[in-house]
Amino acid sequence: MCGIVGYVGPRQAVDVVVSGLKRLEYRGYDSAGVAIVTADGLDTRKKAGKLANLQTIIAGDPMSLSSTGIGHTRWATHGGPTDANAHPHVSDDGTVAVIHNGIIENFAELREELTNLGIQLNSETDTEVVAHLLQIVLPSVDGDLSEAMRRVCRRLSGAFTLVAVVAEHPDVVVAARRNSPLVVGRGEGENFLASDVSAFIEYTRNAIELGQDQVVCITPSDITITDFDGNPAATVEFEVTWDAAAAERGGYELFMLKEIAEQPKAVADTLLGRMKDNRLNLDELRISEQELRNIKKIVVIACGTAYHAGMIAKYAIEHWTRIPCEVELASEFRYRDPIVSSETLVIAISQSGETMDTIMALRHAKDQGAKVLAICNTRGATIPRDSDAVLYTNAGPEIAVASTKAFLTQVVAAYLVGLYLAQVHGTKYADEISDVLAQLADMPRRIDLVLDTTEHVRKIAHELRDAKSVLFIGRHVGYPVALEGALKLKELAYMHAEGFAAGELKHGPIALLEEGMPVIVVVPPKTGRDVLHEKIVSNIQEVRARGARTIVIAEEGDESVVPYANDIIRIPESPTLLQPLLATIPLQILACAMATAKGYDVDMPRNLAKSVTVE
Ligand code: F6R
């Protein structure tokens, strides 16, 4: 949450910073602001609302030439989304500007200390205290901003990425990191800081991951990284493998539409190169086969859509490995006393790799000796770094707030882990594993076929746009798909939507049904577990008999649902366990189309942010 950019170099700083913010706006859009260092001191502009509001201000009153700048796009935590609470925050004497992502937990006592010193605070944010503290410390360290930052950071508790500039050092930007994301971009005669690489990918692909409790100072020619005590710090350099075009809309009206359309490729890329010599080979895993053989229990931890991917994975992992697998919301797991040991494999699933609930849950698991394996889409993020092993989903950058292609690739990656465990534990023969992999390899083609239903789904969305409430039902792996469909509709179309295990309806939720209420049903394959199919056909009849409008997602050729369906969305045949990779797609399209029909901002839904870096 919150996007951060810093720049030093020969370009016009405000342009680089604003273009970086544009790419980071998915992280928060409650306000935006920039500060540049000029010959006359700091020039700061900030405005509540989306980045466009700030751009209008700058266009009306252009900023001076400057080689050094910082910028911020905010997801509000402390204090509402107002101009005053927008970042950057400037010190009492106007010489220090600071931006921040995270929460400074001891800000109240720091605020009181500053007030007692006669300093007037101009915002309700936790961030502002840092600007004043830096101003106070700077004279005692001969104006050395890095040292001042280290001293201030040692006084802070909580999670933060802080970036600061001072009026008297025109070519210096200093940042600090604890628990919130920050990467450095190494350019030629210029350097960058950002919450993620998309902000500077246009200029350089050479990046450096910052570790925990580190301070970085960038100048046009140097990058110096230390810990909070000033000792040189070890860092990891990496090259970004995707390009600027991948982070652009590429002709699509919405990032979400682009990302839905990219799903065949994202799935294919996640499967790429996993088979070697007729064996599944996950060489990036970093946990030995022996360690995996010792695993007696699996716990998947994740949030939101990633949690639904974990729920789906449980069915496959238990089926293939016969190892008990639990799935838990990271925010619940973290505050429980879970039963995990060195024989437990915890799988943390996260697109961003920066979700605070998941980070804290995985640390909780590690403290108890569990092995942690991350399934993540963002290289170098905190979750893969803090884990014992990682399997990257190769979905490419996901910008729209609602997760789509990341979800499908999370399911695929979790399946790869399940198959790998089955191979290591010997619970599946090699040819059985190859069969599943061959089916998976054919999924991009089938996903493409599902994308052909887009117009039909849009038509249904248009008809449903005024519904008061929409219910989703499914069984087995179709149940988490139903939950995912409901989540998408809530977050994008701001409608009441709920997903249920179809068998649970009669235990209460069926009372919700009213004449005409849309019920979306995920029908399992007819050729899979027949009993599941029969049961869901009965469930469709039950809701239809009570006046529901039934919208049925069923395989091509499944005629048994026709008499009970008001609408049918057809998907290609697939094995039961792989069906979520197809059945989810119409639900993504439906939510996107309903939000569009209602005139909502699909890529940036209200109150949300892409990366949830606070608890
Ligand atoms: C919903 C959505 C969220 C995320 C959740 C976890 O469309 O995107 O529910 O899935 O916030 O985020 P990551 O995967 O980054 O940990």
Side-chain angles (χ1 to χ4, degrees):
M1 290 178 159
C2 299
I4 277 180
V5 188
Y7 175 73
V8 271
R11 302 172 205 265
Q12 168 60 326
V14 66
D15 294 345
V16 177
V17 168
V18 170
S19 86
L21 290 180
K22 189 86 209 123
R23 293 236 170 84
L24 295 184
E25 204 180 6
Y26 69 87
R27 302 181 69 89
Y29 28 87
D30 287 329
S31 64
V34 293
I36 56 168
V37 187
T38 73
D40 301 325
L42 298 182
D43 184 359
T44 304
R45 311 282 170 88
K46 51 190 193 172
K47 192 71 195 153
K50 292 189 175 155
L51 181 63
N53 297 354
L54 175 72
Q55 286 175 294
T56 307
I57 290 183
I58 295 174
D61 178 13
M63 297 179 85
S64 329
L65 267 181
S66 165
S67 59
T68 307
I70 59 176
H72 187 265
T73 174
R74 178 170 188 243
W75 188 83
T77 54
H78 290 66
T82 60
D83 288 354
N85 290 333
H87 300 211
H89 290 282
V90 177
S91 61
D92 204 34
D93 63 358
T95 60
V96 184
V98 173
I99 54 179
H100 167 220
N101 171 22
I103 292 178
I104 296 167
E105 282 166 359
N106 58 337
F107 93 102
E109 67 191 64
L110 296 169
R111 216 179 150 90
E112 192 182 332
E113 179 184 317
L114 291 166
T115 313
N116 291 341
L117 290 173
I119 292 175
Q120 193 199 321
L121 288 112
N122 299 312
S123 74
E124 301 153 293
T125 66
D126 48 346
T127 311
E128 191 187 342
V129 297
V130 177
H132 300 299
L133 289 172
L134 285 171
Q135 177 202 310
I136 292 168
V137 173
L138 272 164
S140 62
V141 292
D142 296 331
D144 178 344
L145 184 56
S146 298
E147 180 53 22
M149 184 66 96
R150 286 190 283 267
R151 290 195 184 188
V152 169
C153 285
R154 294 202 290 263
R155 299 201 56 200
L156 305 179
S157 55
F160 47 84
T161 298
L162 292 160
V163 184
V165 285
V166 284
E168 67 178 282
H169 294 305
D171 275 339
V172 172
V173 180
V174 168
R177 168 177 192 264
R178 170 182 287 166
N179 280 335
S180 290
L182 182 65
V183 278
V184 182
R186 187 194 287 283
E188 298 273 329
E190 59 184 350
N191 287 308
F192 306 80
L193 294 167
S195 305
D196 81 49
V197 295
S198 61
F200 54 70
I201 186 74
E202 203 179 331
Y203 311 105
T204 179
R205 290 192 188 192
N206 299 322
I208 305 173
E209 291 173 20
L210 228 64
Q212 214 46 284
D213 285 10
Q214 292 184 352
V215 167
V216 56
C217 173
I218 59 169
T219 67
S221 54
D222 272 320
I223 298 170
T224 313
I225 303 175
T226 67
D227 63 18
F228 282 179
D229 293 320
N231 306 307
T235 55
V236 181
E237 302 221 9
F238 64 102
E239 198 185 326
V240 185
T241 49
W242 43 274
D243 59 17
E248 303 283 358
R249 280 207 299 270
Y252 285 85
E253 214 177 301
L254 299 168
F255 276 112
M256 185 173 178
L257 289 175
K258 174 179 174 249
E259 288 159 10
I260 288 173
E262 284 172 343
Q263 293 184 109
K265 182 172 181 327
V267 166
D269 287 352
T270 301
L271 288 167
L272 209 66
R274 305 297 191 185
M275 275 300 271
K276 280 188 197 125
D277 304 327
N278 220 23
R279 265 178 81 78
L280 183 60
N281 188 344
L282 306 183
D283 47 11
E284 60 195 290
L285 257 195
R286 302 196 313 251
I287 298 186
S288 70
E289 293 205 358
Q290 187 49 48
E291 285 173 310
L292 289 177
R293 261 191 286 275
N294 291 340
I295 295 301
K296 306 261 181 328
K297 176 179 171 181
I298 296 166
V299 181
V300 181
I301 48 171
C303 304
T305 288
Y307 170 71
H308 297 152
M311 284 179 78
I312 292 168
K314 171 189 164 77
Y315 291 88
I317 290 174
E318 288 193 338
H319 180 63
W320 291 330
T321 67
R322 311 310 298 151
I323 303 172
C325 175
E326 294 169 8
V327 189
E328 188 156 354
L329 290 166
S331 53
E332 288 296 315
F333 179 90
R334 177 214 187 319
Y335 291 105
R336 249 184 0 95
D337 185 13
I339 302 171
V340 294
S341 70
S342 57
E343 294 181 333
T344 308
L345 178 69
V346 169
I347 303 179
I349 305 182
S350 174
Q351 188 287 127
S352 61
E354 298 294 349
T355 300
M356 188 55 77
D357 288 320
T358 312
I359 293 173
M360 290 307 176
L362 85 80
R363 289 183 185 160
H364 191 41
K366 276 187 92 173
D367 286 346
Q368 291 162 73
K371 286 260 167 273
V372 179
L373 187 165
I375 290 178
C376 186
N377 195 39
T378 313
R379 274 165 211 269
T382 305
I383 289 174
R385 268 214 319 265
D386 281 11
S387 300
D388 299 294
V390 58
L391 191 68
Y392 282 111
T393 50
N394 293 325
E398 192 180 66
I399 308 291
V401 165
S403 190
T404 53
K405 60 177 179 170
F407 172 72
L408 256 59
T409 58
Q410 285 161 354
V411 173
V412 170
Y415 278 15
L416 289 174
V417 172
L419 291 170
Y420 191 64
L421 284 166
Q423 180 174 282
V424 169
H425 281 248
T427 48
K428 284 273 160 216
Y429 291 114
D431 57 339
E432 293 172 305
I433 293 174
S434 312
D435 280 354
V436 183
L437 285 170
Q439 290 281 357
L440 275 170
D442 193 42
M443 292 317 275
R445 183 187 66 83
R446 295 184 225 189
I447 295 169
D448 249 331
L449 295 173
V450 183
L451 293 172
D452 290 344
T453 64
T454 300
E455 273 320 304
H456 177 49
V457 177
R458 279 197 183 140
K459 194 172 143 283
I460 297 173
H462 200 73
E463 288 165 16
L464 299 190
R465 71 187 186 283
D466 295 324
K468 221 171 63 195
S469 183
V470 181
L471 306 187
F472 294 74
I473 58 172
R475 280 177 178 263
H476 195 263
V477 287
Y479 165 44
V481 170
L483 293 176
E484 176 61 8
L487 174 61
K488 284 285 156 295
L489 204 56
K490 283 183 248 201
E491 68 180 324
L492 297 177
Y494 316 149
M495 290 172 75
H496 174 244
E498 278 196 70
F500 299 106
E504 272 295 293
L505 273 190
K506 58 187 176 295
H507 297 290
I510 203 161
L512 288 168
L513 287 181
E514 287 174 5
E515 193 60 35
M517 182 182 282
V519 177
I520 300 184
V521 189
V522 181
V523 180
K526 200 158 189 272
T527 50
R529 311 179 73 191
D530 285 354
V531 62
L532 277 181
H533 185 272
E534 277 166 30
K535 294 286 171 210
I536 208 124
V537 174
S538 306
N539 297 137
I540 307 174
Q541 293 176 53
E542 283 158 19
V543 296
R544 179 74 183 260
R546 287 160 180 83
R549 172 178 177 167
T550 52
I551 296 130
V552 170
I553 300 176
E555 278 188 346
E556 292 293 352
D558 181 352
E559 297 305 316
S560 55
V561 293
V562 174
Y564 320 110
N566 292 95
D567 288 289
I568 304 186
I569 300 166
R570 292 293 184 184
I571 56 174
E573 287 183 11
S574 71
T576 304
L577 285 172
L578 303 194
Q579 201 201 39
L581 299 174
L582 306 175
T584 310
I585 295 165
L587 304 182
Q588 299 167 341
I589 298 167
L590 184 88
C592 181
M594 278 172 78
T596 307
K598 285 163 163 277
Y600 297 145
D601 186 336
V602 171
D603 284 338
M604 293 188 235
R606 70 184 180 203
N607 302 336
L608 293 173
K610 181 71 183 160
S611 183
V612 187
T613 55
V614 293
E615 272 192 81

